[in-house]
Amino acid sequence: MWGLTENIDHIFRLCPITRVVWYLLLPASKHQDFFNQDTKTWMLLNFRDTAMVNGRSWLLIFVVALDIIWQNRSNFIFQGLTSQPADRIFCKLSLQT
């Protein structure tokens, strides 16, 4: 899709649809660092991040986003279904207590 290589970095971070998700979830001050790290460093830093974003643990936001991005991609590949992962992420996070 979009003529780009399908790899972990593309699916979870660099795909145009995925980038929109992260731009919506991240504080603007974190955009540059978030997109300019190698994949391993990116994953480790986000799994270790203890920050709170809009009253939610960043780790919770990050793993929910990864899960929904993966589900969204799988649904598109295997079932031809399209959806906006950002909408699903915000809905899921609003249900967490």
Side-chain angles (χ1 to χ4, degrees), residues 1-2 4 6 10-11 15 69-83:
M1 184 173 159
W2 304 87
L4 299 173
E6 283 288 308
H10 172 75
I11 293 168
C15 170
I69 288 166
W70 182 255
Q71 289 176 33
N72 193 72
R73 187 71 183 137
S74 294
N75 288 340
F76 176 74
I77 295 290
F78 296 110
Q79 299 175 14
L81 301 175
T82 59
S83 66

Side-chain angles (χ1 to χ4, degrees), residues 13-14 18-37 42 46 53 58:
R13 189 165 54 153
L14 301 178
T18 303
R19 285 180 79 92
V20 169
V21 169
W22 296 122
Y23 276 113
L24 292 171
L25 292 174
L26 284 164
S29 61
K30 293 193 173 210
H31 288 177
Q32 183 172 354
D33 288 340
F34 191 85
F35 293 105
N36 291 322
Q37 299 163 342
W42 175 75
N46 282 287
V53 177
W58 174 250

